Amino acid sequence: MRLAELRGHATNLVLVVLGAILAVYMLAFDRTRLTTGETESRQRHVLPAWRSGELAEIEIQRGSESTRLSAAGPETEPRTWVLEQGGERVEADERAVGELLSTLELAVFERRAADEGRAGYGLAAPRLVLSVRMGELGYTLRLGGPAPSPAGGAYLELEVQPGRGGARPAPGVMVVSKALCEALLAWPDRLRSRRLVPYAASRIASLEAKGERSWRIERAGPAAFMLGAPGRAAKVRAGRREIDALFAALGRIEAERFVPVPARALAARLTLGIGLGEPAPGAVELQLGASCPGGPGLLLLRRRTPEVAACVAEQAVRPLWVGADELADRFLVAARPDEIYEIKLSSPARSIELARRDAGWHMRPPAAVHVRRIEDGAVLRLDEGLARGLEPAGVTLRAAAVFNVPPKDVRALRIVTQQGRQKLSRTEDGGWSLDEPAGAGLRPDAGLVAAFAQALGRLEALRWVADADDGSFGLGEPWCRIEADVETGDAEPARTLGLELGGEVPGGYYARRQGDPAVFVAPRGLGAMAERWLLDRGALLVDLAAVDTVSVTTGRRELQVVAGQESWRAEGAGAGAEALGRQVQEALRDLVAEGVARLGAPARAEGFARPRLVVRVDFVKDAAPGRVVLRVGAGEVWRDTSVFYVRRDGVEATFAVAQSRLRPLLELL
């Protein structure tokens, strides 16, 4: 009996051992085989497989130039990459690396080439050789001569590295499109980062200039720097605007082309030392010399391992030639006017507190309630609105839900505030149309309207306060009235939801719904949405694909940009033409407003009598709208965001655009 049991166990043990051996084989020896899913989904792809998690190395050989891209760190995503060119380790452009990987992953061939021998395809001396290693898989691509069709296409050979190819038969020589051919040839130049000062402003602890103008600034706080210079007895505060402009200029310096590091010491016109703080303290030295050898621009040498020499556009480094007098802060307080949101004026007799509300100010009432804590007799000072929650009321234990309506059932919205009236109706396709206000170029913002319908339909009270208004909640003359027509589509009849918002309280506003006298606190976010115009924030965007030329003007200075099929270029900018053109293109692509600040004609305070910037965009023939003109006015704080006022000709509204979106255009001239 015991022998039979052992025989049964022996059979199980043998099966377990065989299973373990098979698993080891699958893991160690079968990783080069392609899965059924890979084989079926990548029939037309240039590379038979793509395993991003196992991607280890890419090598590119173009003529005598060699480029190697190696994955660093653990085999997890997102990966970090080490770039070597000509045997030298250089900084990789992470965005360009990502685009290269995407190109290789998605690359497809047009057709397999007829068997005419490698010599007939120009593969004996390929224009480019690219090798990819992914774990146990490896492939080599060779780009040969031009193919008769499609236009601009070329021959591409796929070679499976020995023991690394997988089970799918390699397509051998393929014909690929012009776009893929050009992309492969361009990658060696694009992978290297052209940013010469790739440090965030928050990391810069000090800057020291030596040369034609000498000074030193040192960080004295998160947004404060102290300035010293030869001949100054004491340090003074550096201006925020000036420092911001200096850091912005440093961040925009890009290499037009790289050149060999000079063997002899550079006769620098300006030397700029950069002290770096956490997380990796250190120092960098920039030396700006005379004209760049062999072409336009200035020679810039970055003294930090590895050293880098490059030609840069003179216009890009011009802001660095600044003197100590220009950097000194002459304002009473360091904060910019648009950053100040509270002011308190105090004297022994009285005090006044002011707080921003949009473009204006309001005085805060000093209302407070004192409450004694029984346990220890301590007296606490509470805001009057919060103290009301301690008063007994029949509504105290009500459920939080005020409305419970799916946003899709909201068919119309009517909002009346001190700034005006808005009326929106649901369209047959589920979108929204604008009934009021009326004005040229005005249309609703689908995202804002949908968010408002969601907030109203699912409204919950922060707390219930009183059974009815006693005249102290600001509901006698509410600053906001909201109505929403609701249709469920069922047997339930259509109905209207109504809401009134009154006085401000910590966290929100006193409110009551139509047909119910009880008072509750509605979230501040609902009030913030109700008092803004729910109008299209993308009204300033243009169709970049149809742009012909762009003119950027400030004062008496003007920059003309021509939009080409391959790139945008600034006229008369020399080596920096493409960089400036790209800067204009990216700024226009990012020109989304925070919202509409005002309807109708511009107000005097908005600064359009003398705009600080005018952008004229002309489009290719027969492309609507022919010309778009954007005007940038004064700076202001709008809904806690530093903005510039912007208007578009033909649209009866003033838009608030974050200053960060417009600075690339303002700093062009």
Side-chain angles (χ1 to χ4, degrees):
M1 193 70 180
R2 203 161 190 63
L3 183 60
E5 290 179 0
L6 288 174
R7 287 174 177 172
H9 287 307
T11 301
N12 292 336
L13 287 172
V14 169
L15 292 175
V16 169
V17 171
L18 289 175
I21 293 173
L22 179 61
V24 170
Y25 170 79
M26 293 293 292
L27 181 64
F29 301 103
D30 203 40
R31 293 184 69 183
T32 62
R33 299 183 62 82
L34 305 188
T35 66
T36 302
E38 286 175 319
T39 302
E40 292 178 351
S41 64
R42 299 187 63 84
Q43 289 293 330
R44 286 288 312 283
H45 287 77
V46 169
L47 295 179
W50 184 263
R51 300 174 181 176
S52 57
E54 299 179 20
L55 190 59
E57 187 176 82
I58 296 174
E59 289 190 58
I60 305 174
Q61 188 75 32
R62 188 182 62 183
S64 60
E65 302 173 358
S66 64
T67 299
R68 174 179 293 177
L69 192 65
S70 306
E75 292 187 359
T76 57
E77 295 188 67
R79 314 293 296 276
T80 57
W81 298 93
V82 175
L83 178 65
E84 294 180 42
Q85 289 187 333
E88 178 186 0
R89 182 168 175 172
V90 296
E91 295 174 15
D93 185 324
E94 294 293 337
R95 180 176 177 179
V97 171
E99 291 176 356
L100 169 63
L101 302 185
S102 179
T103 296
L104 293 176
E105 177 183 6
L106 303 177
V108 296
F109 58 90
E110 300 293 320
R111 65 181 186 277
R112 289 185 173 87
D115 187 8
E116 299 178 2
R118 298 178 74 253
Y121 298 134
L123 294 167
R127 289 183 282 173
L128 178 136
V129 179
L130 186 148
S131 300
V132 183
R133 181 164 60 84
M134 296 173 287
E136 300 301 321
L137 298 178
Y139 304 103
T140 298
L141 298 174
R142 294 182 180 87
L143 184 65
S149 66
Y155 294 109
L156 184 70
E157 181 184 44
L158 170 66
E159 177 189 348
V160 177
Q161 296 176 9
R164 290 177 173 269
R168 171 186 138 186
V173 180
M174 305 163 275
V175 175
V176 296
S177 67
K178 175 184 177 182
L180 180 56
C181 174
E182 292 178 345
L184 292 174
L185 289 171
W187 281 119
D189 297 325
R190 295 185 57 192
L191 291 175
R192 184 173 184 177
S193 174
R194 295 186 176 274
R195 291 186 61 195
L196 297 175
V197 190
Y199 313 113
S202 58
R203 276 198 64 198
I204 297 179
S206 65
L207 285 176
E208 183 171 8
K210 297 178 181 179
E212 298 173 0
R213 300 184 178 185
S214 298
W215 45 262
R216 178 180 175 84
I217 60 170
E218 296 178 351
R219 187 177 292 278
F225 283 84
M226 298 301 291
L227 169 69
R232 289 182 180 268
K235 294 181 179 179
V236 297
R237 188 173 65 207
R240 283 276 307 280
R241 299 161 186 79
E242 292 73 19
I243 296 302
D244 287 348
L246 193 60
F247 285 172
L250 285 171
R252 289 196 305 271
I253 297 176
E254 291 189 350
E256 298 292 328
R257 58 190 176 91
F258 292 98
V259 297
V261 175
R264 295 182 300 174
L266 184 66
R269 294 170 54 189
L270 173 68
T271 299
L272 191 65
I274 305 175
L276 300 176
E278 298 296 341
V284 180
E285 185 176 273
L286 302 180
Q287 294 182 354
L288 272 168
S291 298
C292 201
L298 296 179
L299 178 62
L300 185 145
L301 180 60
R302 188 180 70 191
R303 295 285 189 187
R304 192 189 193 196
T305 305
E307 292 187 335
V308 173
C311 296
V312 298
E314 185 172 356
Q315 187 171 3
V317 297
R318 189 180 300 156
L320 303 183
W321 266 277
V322 61
D325 289 341
E326 298 168 83
L327 291 174
D329 191 356
R330 288 176 169 78
F331 289 90
L332 186 64
V333 295
R336 294 188 292 262
D338 56 9
E339 295 177 329
I340 300 173
Y341 62 92
E342 286 186 357
I343 298 176
K344 183 175 182 180
L345 307 175
S346 301
S347 71
R350 61 180 302 188
S351 66
I352 297 175
E353 291 188 32
L354 302 173
R356 275 194 184 270
R357 177 177 289 172
D358 293 337
W361 295 82
H362 71 279
M363 186 180 298
R364 288 179 171 169
V369 174
H370 293 86
V371 178
R372 184 184 299 279
R373 193 164 58 197
I374 301 299
E375 181 181 8
D376 56 4
V379 177
L380 309 178
R381 185 177 184 271
L382 300 182
D383 181 275
E384 185 180 27
L386 291 175
R388 282 183 176 271
L390 302 177
E391 298 177 3
V395 297
T396 302
L397 300 181
R398 273 197 185 189
V402 178
F403 300 128
N404 189 16
V405 175
K408 65 180 180 62
D409 292 343
V410 178
R411 310 304 302 174
L413 287 169
R414 293 176 293 279
I415 308 168
V416 180
T417 64
Q418 297 169 351
Q419 71 175 355
R421 176 184 176 89
Q422 300 187 75
K423 183 179 179 182
L424 303 109
S425 302
R426 183 82 73 170
T427 59
E428 293 183 358
D429 61 359
W432 291 90
S433 64
L434 179 67
D435 302 323
E436 295 183 50
L442 301 183
R443 57 179 183 263
D445 189 301
L448 291 178
V449 179
F452 185 81
Q454 170 79 20
L456 181 66
R458 302 301 190 188
L459 178 62
E460 292 189 354
L462 296 182
R463 58 185 179 276
W464 291 90
V465 178
D467 298 317
D469 180 23
D470 61 4
S472 63
F473 299 107
L475 294 168
E477 295 184 4
W479 67 270
C480 176
R481 289 185 171 88
I482 304 170
E483 289 184 347
D485 295 339
V486 176
E487 295 180 7
T488 62
D490 301 329
E492 186 178 346
R495 57 196 174 102
T496 298
L497 308 179
L499 186 71
E500 295 177 337
L501 300 180
E504 190 174 357
V505 68
Y509 299 91
Y510 291 123
R512 64 183 173 193
R513 60 188 172 187
Q514 183 176 298
D516 185 351
V519 179
F520 64 94
V521 176
R524 183 180 299 277
L526 179 67
M529 286 190 283
E531 65 179 351
R532 73 181 301 169
W533 295 109
L534 304 181
L535 301 177
D536 186 16
R537 294 164 293 177
L540 304 176
L541 295 173
V542 298
D543 182 5
L544 296 179
V547 171
D548 184 27
T549 60
V550 180
S551 168
V552 182
T553 307
T554 175
R556 298 181 179 179
R557 308 175 74 178
E558 183 176 2
L559 180 71
Q560 291 283 347
V561 175
V562 177
Q565 291 184 349
E566 300 296 332
S567 63
W568 290 23
R569 297 182 63 85
E571 293 185 341
E578 189 169 336
L580 291 176
R582 185 167 57 249
Q583 188 172 335
V584 171
Q585 185 181 24
E586 292 301 321
L588 292 179
R589 179 179 286 115
D590 196 37
L591 205 55
V592 177
E594 300 297 305
V596 173
R598 188 173 291 101
L599 295 180
R604 179 187 295 271
E606 291 171 354
F608 292 106
R610 297 181 62 185
R612 66 177 63 205
L613 188 75
V614 178
V615 180
R616 293 178 176 86
V617 183
D618 289 298
F619 298 87
V620 295
K621 187 178 180 181
D622 298 329
R627 167 175 278 194
V628 168
V629 180
L630 306 175
R631 305 178 194 275
V632 180
E636 185 55 273
V637 170
W638 189 82
R639 301 188 183 281
D640 298 326
T641 299
S642 297
V643 301
F644 287 116
Y645 291 130
V646 181
R647 290 185 70 92
R648 172 173 175 166
D649 285 9
V651 179
E652 296 181 1
T654 298
F655 295 86
V657 179
Q659 293 187 5
S660 59
R661 297 181 185 271
L662 285 164
R663 283 201 181 98
L665 290 176
L666 290 167
E667 294 168 354
L668 283 171
L669 302 172

